PDB file of all heavy atoms in Angstrom:
ATOM      1  N   LYS C 681      29.320 -30.543 -42.393  1.00  0.00           N
ATOM      2  CA  LYS C 681      29.147 -29.614 -41.278  1.00  0.00           C
ATOM      3  C   LYS C 681      28.389 -28.398 -41.776  1.00  0.00           C
ATOM      4  O   LYS C 681      28.724 -27.816 -42.815  1.00  0.00           O
ATOM      5  CB  LYS C 681      30.504 -29.174 -40.728  1.00  0.00           C
ATOM      6  CG  LYS C 681      31.140 -30.227 -39.828  1.00  0.00           C
ATOM      7  CD  LYS C 681      32.421 -29.696 -39.243  1.00  0.00           C
ATOM      8  CE  LYS C 681      33.102 -30.791 -38.399  1.00  0.00           C
ATOM      9  NZ  LYS C 681      34.458 -30.367 -37.992  1.00  0.00           N
ATOM     10  N   THR C 682      27.355 -28.039 -41.035  1.00  0.00           N
ATOM     11  CA  THR C 682      26.619 -26.852 -41.457  1.00  0.00           C
ATOM     12  C   THR C 682      25.984 -26.197 -40.232  1.00  0.00           C
ATOM     13  O   THR C 682      25.858 -26.817 -39.170  1.00  0.00           O
ATOM     14  CB  THR C 682      25.545 -27.233 -42.496  1.00  0.00           C
ATOM     15  OG1 THR C 682      24.800 -26.075 -42.822  1.00  0.00           O
ATOM     16  CG2 THR C 682      24.576 -28.278 -41.948  1.00  0.00           C
ATOM     17  N   TRP C 683      25.602 -24.922 -40.367  1.00  0.00           N
ATOM     18  CA  TRP C 683      24.964 -24.186 -39.292  1.00  0.00           C
ATOM     19  C   TRP C 683      23.468 -24.333 -39.380  1.00  0.00           C
ATOM     20  O   TRP C 683      22.898 -24.336 -40.450  1.00  0.00           O
ATOM     21  CB  TRP C 683      25.310 -22.698 -39.377  1.00  0.00           C
ATOM     22  CG  TRP C 683      26.745 -22.395 -39.099  1.00  0.00           C
ATOM     23  CD1 TRP C 683      27.717 -22.241 -40.015  1.00  0.00           C
ATOM     24  CD2 TRP C 683      27.338 -22.222 -37.816  1.00  0.00           C
ATOM     25  NE1 TRP C 683      28.911 -21.981 -39.415  1.00  0.00           N
ATOM     26  CE2 TRP C 683      28.715 -21.965 -38.042  1.00  0.00           C
ATOM     27  CE3 TRP C 683      26.865 -22.284 -36.493  1.00  0.00           C
ATOM     28  CZ2 TRP C 683      29.609 -21.748 -37.019  1.00  0.00           C
ATOM     29  CZ3 TRP C 683      27.764 -22.057 -35.473  1.00  0.00           C
ATOM     30  CH2 TRP C 683      29.122 -21.809 -35.733  1.00  0.00           C
ATOM     31  N   PHE C 684      22.822 -24.478 -38.204  1.00  0.00           N
ATOM     32  CA  PHE C 684      21.362 -24.402 -38.217  1.00  0.00           C
ATOM     33  C   PHE C 684      20.900 -23.787 -36.904  1.00  0.00           C
ATOM     34  O   PHE C 684      21.580 -23.912 -35.872  1.00  0.00           O
ATOM     35  CB  PHE C 684      20.725 -25.785 -38.455  1.00  0.00           C
ATOM     36  CG  PHE C 684      21.022 -26.802 -37.400  1.00  0.00           C
ATOM     37  CD1 PHE C 684      20.117 -26.994 -36.352  1.00  0.00           C
ATOM     38  CD2 PHE C 684      22.184 -27.564 -37.449  1.00  0.00           C
ATOM     39  CE1 PHE C 684      20.377 -27.935 -35.381  1.00  0.00           C
ATOM     40  CE2 PHE C 684      22.442 -28.497 -36.481  1.00  0.00           C
ATOM     41  CZ  PHE C 684      21.535 -28.687 -35.437  1.00  0.00           C
ATOM     42  N   PRO C 685      19.766 -23.046 -36.938  1.00  0.00           N
ATOM     43  CA  PRO C 685      19.345 -22.323 -35.727  1.00  0.00           C
ATOM     44  C   PRO C 685      18.882 -23.283 -34.645  1.00  0.00           C
ATOM     45  O   PRO C 685      18.310 -24.340 -34.919  1.00  0.00           O
ATOM     46  CB  PRO C 685      18.188 -21.461 -36.225  1.00  0.00           C
ATOM     47  CG  PRO C 685      17.684 -22.167 -37.425  1.00  0.00           C
ATOM     48  CD  PRO C 685      18.851 -22.859 -38.042  1.00  0.00           C
ATOM     49  N   LEU C 686      19.156 -22.919 -33.386  1.00  0.00           N
ATOM     50  CA  LEU C 686      18.627 -23.672 -32.251  1.00  0.00           C
ATOM     51  C   LEU C 686      17.142 -23.399 -32.135  1.00  0.00           C
ATOM     52  O   LEU C 686      16.602 -22.518 -32.804  1.00  0.00           O
ATOM     53  CB  LEU C 686      19.336 -23.247 -30.977  1.00  0.00           C
ATOM     54  CG  LEU C 686      20.828 -23.583 -30.977  1.00  0.00           C
ATOM     55  CD1 LEU C 686      21.518 -22.891 -29.814  1.00  0.00           C
ATOM     56  CD2 LEU C 686      21.026 -25.082 -30.874  1.00  0.00           C
ATOM     57  N   ARG C 687      16.502 -24.157 -31.275  1.00  0.00           N
ATOM     58  CA  ARG C 687      15.053 -23.979 -31.175  1.00  0.00           C
ATOM     59  C   ARG C 687      14.705 -22.610 -30.595  1.00  0.00           C
ATOM     60  O   ARG C 687      15.424 -22.034 -29.802  1.00  0.00           O
ATOM     61  CB  ARG C 687      14.460 -25.095 -30.308  1.00  0.00           C
ATOM     62  CG  ARG C 687      14.169 -26.346 -31.145  1.00  0.00           C
ATOM     63  CD  ARG C 687      13.314 -27.306 -30.375  1.00  0.00           C
ATOM     64  NE  ARG C 687      14.056 -27.933 -29.286  1.00  0.00           N
ATOM     65  CZ  ARG C 687      13.463 -28.388 -28.177  1.00  0.00           C
ATOM     66  NH1 ARG C 687      12.153 -28.231 -28.029  1.00  0.00           N
ATOM     67  NH2 ARG C 687      14.162 -28.976 -27.238  1.00  0.00           N
ATOM     68  N   GLU C 688      13.511 -22.061 -30.973  1.00  0.00           N
ATOM     69  CA  GLU C 688      13.103 -20.698 -30.648  1.00  0.00           C
ATOM     70  C   GLU C 688      13.060 -20.430 -29.150  1.00  0.00           C
ATOM     71  O   GLU C 688      13.591 -19.439 -28.665  1.00  0.00           O
ATOM     72  CB  GLU C 688      11.701 -20.427 -31.245  1.00  0.00           C
ATOM     73  CG  GLU C 688      11.676 -20.294 -32.760  1.00  0.00           C
ATOM     74  CD  GLU C 688      12.251 -18.971 -33.228  1.00  0.00           C
ATOM     75  OE1 GLU C 688      11.931 -17.945 -32.619  1.00  0.00           O
ATOM     76  OE2 GLU C 688      13.026 -18.977 -34.211  1.00  0.00           O
ATOM     77  N   ASP C 689      12.434 -21.369 -28.417  1.00  0.00           N
ATOM     78  CA  ASP C 689      12.183 -21.087 -26.998  1.00  0.00           C
ATOM     79  C   ASP C 689      13.483 -21.030 -26.174  1.00  0.00           C
ATOM     80  O   ASP C 689      13.490 -20.589 -25.043  1.00  0.00           O
ATOM     81  CB  ASP C 689      11.205 -22.108 -26.409  1.00  0.00           C
ATOM     82  CG  ASP C 689      11.600 -23.530 -26.780  1.00  0.00           C
ATOM     83  OD1 ASP C 689      12.823 -23.807 -26.863  1.00  0.00           O
ATOM     84  OD2 ASP C 689      10.691 -24.335 -27.010  1.00  0.00           O
ATOM     85  N   GLU C 690      14.573 -21.497 -26.789  1.00  0.00           N
ATOM     86  CA  GLU C 690      15.843 -21.424 -26.059  1.00  0.00           C
ATOM     87  C   GLU C 690      16.501 -20.053 -26.155  1.00  0.00           C
ATOM     88  O   GLU C 690      17.455 -19.756 -25.473  1.00  0.00           O
ATOM     89  CB  GLU C 690      16.807 -22.488 -26.612  1.00  0.00           C
ATOM     90  CG  GLU C 690      16.412 -23.896 -26.146  1.00  0.00           C
ATOM     91  CD  GLU C 690      17.190 -24.963 -26.868  1.00  0.00           C
ATOM     92  OE1 GLU C 690      18.167 -24.620 -27.563  1.00  0.00           O
ATOM     93  OE2 GLU C 690      16.801 -26.132 -26.753  1.00  0.00           O
ATOM     94  N   THR C 691      15.974 -19.202 -27.084  1.00  0.00           N
ATOM     95  CA  THR C 691      16.580 -17.876 -27.260  1.00  0.00           C
ATOM     96  C   THR C 691      15.926 -16.881 -26.318  1.00  0.00           C
ATOM     97  O   THR C 691      14.979 -16.183 -26.672  1.00  0.00           O
ATOM     98  CB  THR C 691      16.417 -17.387 -28.704  1.00  0.00           C
ATOM     99  OG1 THR C 691      15.006 -17.383 -28.983  1.00  0.00           O
ATOM    100  CG2 THR C 691      17.127 -18.279 -29.687  1.00  0.00           C
ATOM    101  N   THR C 692      16.401 -16.852 -25.110  1.00  0.00           N
ATOM    102  CA  THR C 692      15.913 -15.822 -24.184  1.00  0.00           C
ATOM    103  C   THR C 692      17.019 -14.792 -24.020  1.00  0.00           C
ATOM    104  O   THR C 692      17.995 -15.010 -23.283  1.00  0.00           O
ATOM    105  CB  THR C 692      15.564 -16.433 -22.810  1.00  0.00           C
ATOM    106  OG1 THR C 692      16.560 -17.404 -22.514  1.00  0.00           O
ATOM    107  CG2 THR C 692      14.188 -17.052 -22.836  1.00  0.00           C
ATOM    108  N   ASN C 693      16.834 -13.705 -24.773  1.00  0.00           N
ATOM    109  CA  ASN C 693      17.869 -12.672 -24.747  1.00  0.00           C
ATOM    110  C   ASN C 693      17.527 -11.637 -23.681  1.00  0.00           C
ATOM    111  O   ASN C 693      16.464 -11.042 -23.710  1.00  0.00           O
ATOM    112  CB  ASN C 693      17.929 -12.018 -26.133  1.00  0.00           C
ATOM    113  CG  ASN C 693      19.291 -11.388 -26.351  1.00  0.00           C
ATOM    114  OD1 ASN C 693      19.927 -10.979 -25.391  1.00  0.00           O
ATOM    115  ND2 ASN C 693      19.711 -11.312 -27.586  1.00  0.00           N
ATOM    116  N   PRO C 694      18.404 -11.415 -22.708  1.00  0.00           N
ATOM    117  CA  PRO C 694      18.063 -10.485 -21.613  1.00  0.00           C
ATOM    118  C   PRO C 694      17.876  -9.042 -22.088  1.00  0.00           C
ATOM    119  O   PRO C 694      16.974  -8.355 -21.589  1.00  0.00           O
ATOM    120  CB  PRO C 694      19.262 -10.604 -20.669  1.00  0.00           C
ATOM    121  CG  PRO C 694      20.364 -11.185 -21.486  1.00  0.00           C
ATOM    122  CD  PRO C 694      19.721 -12.034 -22.545  1.00  0.00           C
ATOM    123  N   ASP C 695      18.710  -8.587 -23.060  1.00  0.00           N
ATOM    124  CA  ASP C 695      18.528  -7.175 -23.460  1.00  0.00           C
ATOM    125  C   ASP C 695      17.568  -7.025 -24.644  1.00  0.00           C
ATOM    126  O   ASP C 695      17.761  -6.207 -25.533  1.00  0.00           O
ATOM    127  CB  ASP C 695      19.879  -6.510 -23.759  1.00  0.00           C
ATOM    128  CG  ASP C 695      20.899  -7.495 -24.280  1.00  0.00           C
ATOM    129  OD1 ASP C 695      20.694  -7.997 -25.422  1.00  0.00           O
ATOM    130  OD2 ASP C 695      21.847  -7.780 -23.546  1.00  0.00           O
ATOM    131  N   ASP C 696      16.536  -7.844 -24.667  1.00  0.00           N
ATOM    132  CA  ASP C 696      15.513  -7.699 -25.713  1.00  0.00           C
ATOM    133  C   ASP C 696      14.627  -6.501 -25.405  1.00  0.00           C
ATOM    134  O   ASP C 696      14.429  -6.139 -24.251  1.00  0.00           O
ATOM    135  CB  ASP C 696      14.655  -8.981 -25.733  1.00  0.00           C
ATOM    136  CG  ASP C 696      14.197  -9.286 -27.130  1.00  0.00           C
ATOM    137  OD1 ASP C 696      14.523  -8.502 -28.049  1.00  0.00           O
ATOM    138  OD2 ASP C 696      13.511 -10.313 -27.329  1.00  0.00           O
ATOM    139  N   VAL C 697      14.044  -5.856 -26.471  1.00  0.00           N
ATOM    140  CA  VAL C 697      13.202  -4.675 -26.274  1.00  0.00           C
ATOM    141  C   VAL C 697      11.877  -5.117 -25.661  1.00  0.00           C
ATOM    142  O   VAL C 697      11.380  -6.199 -25.963  1.00  0.00           O
ATOM    143  CB  VAL C 697      12.936  -3.970 -27.627  1.00  0.00           C
ATOM    144  CG1 VAL C 697      12.631  -2.497 -27.399  1.00  0.00           C
ATOM    145  CG2 VAL C 697      14.105  -4.159 -28.568  1.00  0.00           C
ATOM    146  N   ASP C 698      11.308  -4.276 -24.821  1.00  0.00           N
ATOM    147  CA  ASP C 698      10.011  -4.582 -24.229  1.00  0.00           C
ATOM    148  C   ASP C 698       8.954  -4.524 -25.325  1.00  0.00           C
ATOM    149  O   ASP C 698       8.707  -3.485 -25.934  1.00  0.00           O
ATOM    150  CB  ASP C 698       9.707  -3.551 -23.126  1.00  0.00           C
ATOM    151  CG  ASP C 698       8.387  -3.868 -22.449  1.00  0.00           C
ATOM    152  OD1 ASP C 698       7.818  -4.950 -22.774  1.00  0.00           O
ATOM    153  OD2 ASP C 698       7.943  -3.065 -21.636  1.00  0.00           O
ATOM    154  N   LEU C 699       8.300  -5.695 -25.600  1.00  0.00           N
ATOM    155  CA  LEU C 699       7.357  -5.765 -26.720  1.00  0.00           C
ATOM    156  C   LEU C 699       6.148  -4.867 -26.500  1.00  0.00           C
ATOM    157  O   LEU C 699       5.603  -4.280 -27.420  1.00  0.00           O
ATOM    158  CB  LEU C 699       6.898  -7.208 -26.919  1.00  0.00           C
ATOM    159  CG  LEU C 699       7.897  -8.089 -27.683  1.00  0.00           C
ATOM    160  CD1 LEU C 699       7.430  -9.535 -27.703  1.00  0.00           C
ATOM    161  CD2 LEU C 699       8.104  -7.559 -29.092  1.00  0.00           C
ATOM    162  N   ASP C 700       5.723  -4.726 -25.228  1.00  0.00           N
ATOM    163  CA  ASP C 700       4.568  -3.873 -24.946  1.00  0.00           C
ATOM    164  C   ASP C 700       4.831  -2.429 -25.331  1.00  0.00           C
ATOM    165  O   ASP C 700       3.984  -1.746 -25.900  1.00  0.00           O
ATOM    166  CB  ASP C 700       4.232  -3.937 -23.452  1.00  0.00           C
ATOM    167  CG  ASP C 700       3.442  -5.212 -23.148  1.00  0.00           C
ATOM    168  OD1 ASP C 700       3.104  -5.892 -24.145  1.00  0.00           O
ATOM    169  OD2 ASP C 700       3.202  -5.500 -21.975  1.00  0.00           O
ATOM    170  N   ALA C 701       6.067  -2.003 -25.030  1.00  0.00           N
ATOM    171  CA  ALA C 701       6.428  -0.618 -25.357  1.00  0.00           C
ATOM    172  C   ALA C 701       6.348  -0.403 -26.865  1.00  0.00           C
ATOM    173  O   ALA C 701       5.791   0.598 -27.340  1.00  0.00           O
ATOM    174  CB  ALA C 701       7.834  -0.322 -24.851  1.00  0.00           C
ATOM    175  N   VAL C 702       6.852  -1.406 -27.625  1.00  0.00           N
ATOM    176  CA  VAL C 702       6.790  -1.296 -29.089  1.00  0.00           C
ATOM    177  C   VAL C 702       5.344  -1.188 -29.534  1.00  0.00           C
ATOM    178  O   VAL C 702       4.981  -0.360 -30.366  1.00  0.00           O
ATOM    179  CB  VAL C 702       7.455  -2.538 -29.737  1.00  0.00           C
ATOM    180  CG1 VAL C 702       7.256  -2.514 -31.240  1.00  0.00           C
ATOM    181  CG2 VAL C 702       8.925  -2.574 -29.399  1.00  0.00           C
ATOM    182  N   GLY C 703       4.478  -2.033 -28.922  1.00  0.00           N
ATOM    183  CA  GLY C 703       3.066  -2.011 -29.272  1.00  0.00           C
ATOM    184  C   GLY C 703       2.465  -0.646 -29.029  1.00  0.00           C
ATOM    185  O   GLY C 703       1.763  -0.106 -29.888  1.00  0.00           O
ATOM    186  N   ARG C 704       2.764  -0.077 -27.876  1.00  0.00           N
ATOM    187  CA  ARG C 704       2.196   1.242 -27.552  1.00  0.00           C
ATOM    188  C   ARG C 704       2.683   2.298 -28.550  1.00  0.00           C
ATOM    189  O   ARG C 704       1.895   3.094 -29.053  1.00  0.00           O
ATOM    190  CB  ARG C 704       2.584   1.651 -26.121  1.00  0.00           C
ATOM    191  CG  ARG C 704       1.457   1.346 -25.116  1.00  0.00           C
ATOM    192  CD  ARG C 704       1.879   1.685 -23.702  1.00  0.00           C
ATOM    193  NE  ARG C 704       2.627   0.588 -23.069  1.00  0.00           N
ATOM    194  CZ  ARG C 704       3.811   0.724 -22.465  1.00  0.00           C
ATOM    195  NH1 ARG C 704       4.382   1.915 -22.390  1.00  0.00           N
ATOM    196  NH2 ARG C 704       4.407  -0.310 -21.933  1.00  0.00           N
ATOM    197  N   PHE C 705       3.979   2.203 -28.879  1.00  0.00           N
ATOM    198  CA  PHE C 705       4.536   3.165 -29.821  1.00  0.00           C
ATOM    199  C   PHE C 705       3.823   3.056 -31.167  1.00  0.00           C
ATOM    200  O   PHE C 705       3.415   4.047 -31.759  1.00  0.00           O
ATOM    201  CB  PHE C 705       6.035   2.896 -29.977  1.00  0.00           C
ATOM    202  CG  PHE C 705       6.694   3.740 -31.035  1.00  0.00           C
ATOM    203  CD1 PHE C 705       6.853   5.107 -30.835  1.00  0.00           C
ATOM    204  CD2 PHE C 705       7.113   3.175 -32.237  1.00  0.00           C
ATOM    205  CE1 PHE C 705       7.453   5.892 -31.793  1.00  0.00           C
ATOM    206  CE2 PHE C 705       7.698   3.960 -33.193  1.00  0.00           C
ATOM    207  CZ  PHE C 705       7.874   5.316 -32.983  1.00  0.00           C
ATOM    208  N   MET C 706       3.655   1.795 -31.661  1.00  0.00           N
ATOM    209  CA  MET C 706       3.024   1.603 -32.963  1.00  0.00           C
ATOM    210  C   MET C 706       1.592   2.125 -32.950  1.00  0.00           C
ATOM    211  O   MET C 706       1.106   2.720 -33.909  1.00  0.00           O
ATOM    212  CB  MET C 706       3.025   0.110 -33.345  1.00  0.00           C
ATOM    213  CG  MET C 706       4.399  -0.466 -33.654  1.00  0.00           C
ATOM    214  SD  MET C 706       5.366   0.548 -34.764  1.00  0.00           S
ATOM    215  CE  MET C 706       4.467   0.261 -36.279  1.00  0.00           C
ATOM    216  N   ASN C 707       0.882   1.896 -31.818  1.00  0.00           N
ATOM    217  CA  ASN C 707      -0.475   2.429 -31.704  1.00  0.00           C
ATOM    218  C   ASN C 707      -0.490   3.934 -31.855  1.00  0.00           C
ATOM    219  O   ASN C 707      -1.335   4.499 -32.554  1.00  0.00           O
ATOM    220  CB  ASN C 707      -1.056   2.052 -30.341  1.00  0.00           C
ATOM    221  CG  ASN C 707      -1.966   0.839 -30.453  1.00  0.00           C
ATOM    222  OD1 ASN C 707      -2.494   0.577 -31.533  1.00  0.00           O
ATOM    223  ND2 ASN C 707      -2.124   0.121 -29.358  1.00  0.00           N
ATOM    224  N   GLY C 708       0.470   4.558 -31.205  1.00  0.00           N
ATOM    225  CA  GLY C 708       0.559   6.019 -31.291  1.00  0.00           C
ATOM    226  C   GLY C 708       0.754   6.467 -32.720  1.00  0.00           C
ATOM    227  O   GLY C 708       0.029   7.350 -33.223  1.00  0.00           O
ATOM    228  N   VAL C 709       1.688   5.794 -33.406  1.00  0.00           N
ATOM    229  CA  VAL C 709       1.955   6.141 -34.823  1.00  0.00           C
ATOM    230  C   VAL C 709       0.691   6.009 -35.638  1.00  0.00           C
ATOM    231  O   VAL C 709       0.343   6.870 -36.457  1.00  0.00           O
ATOM    232  CB  VAL C 709       3.075   5.236 -35.389  1.00  0.00           C
ATOM    233  CG1 VAL C 709       3.186   5.425 -36.888  1.00  0.00           C
ATOM    234  CG2 VAL C 709       4.383   5.535 -34.702  1.00  0.00           C
ATOM    235  N   ALA C 710      -0.042   4.914 -35.385  1.00  0.00           N
ATOM    236  CA  ALA C 710      -1.250   4.665 -36.158  1.00  0.00           C
ATOM    237  C   ALA C 710      -2.264   5.777 -35.937  1.00  0.00           C
ATOM    238  O   ALA C 710      -2.880   6.268 -36.883  1.00  0.00           O
ATOM    239  CB  ALA C 710      -1.845   3.319 -35.768  1.00  0.00           C
ATOM    240  N   GLN C 711      -2.410   6.197 -34.646  1.00  0.00           N
ATOM    241  CA  GLN C 711      -3.414   7.241 -34.364  1.00  0.00           C
ATOM    242  C   GLN C 711      -3.039   8.552 -35.033  1.00  0.00           C
ATOM    243  O   GLN C 711      -3.876   9.232 -35.626  1.00  0.00           O
ATOM    244  CB  GLN C 711      -3.574   7.426 -32.853  1.00  0.00           C
ATOM    245  CG  GLN C 711      -4.554   6.419 -32.289  1.00  0.00           C
ATOM    246  CD  GLN C 711      -4.515   6.327 -30.774  1.00  0.00           C
ATOM    247  OE1 GLN C 711      -3.784   7.071 -30.126  1.00  0.00           O
ATOM    248  NE2 GLN C 711      -5.302   5.425 -30.232  1.00  0.00           N
TER     249      GLN C 711
END
Side-chain angles (χ1 to χ4, degrees):
Chain C
K681 282 184 183 171
T682 177
W683 292 96
F684 62 95
L686 296 169
R687 275 193 289 153
E688 289 286 317
D689 48 35
E690 286 170 11
T691 57
T692 40
N693 203 331
D695 30 68
D696 213 359
V697 205
D698 182 7
L699 280 174
D700 280 353
V702 174
R704 262 177 275 129
F705 174 70
M706 291 312 289
N707 261 336
V709 170
Q711 275 166 3

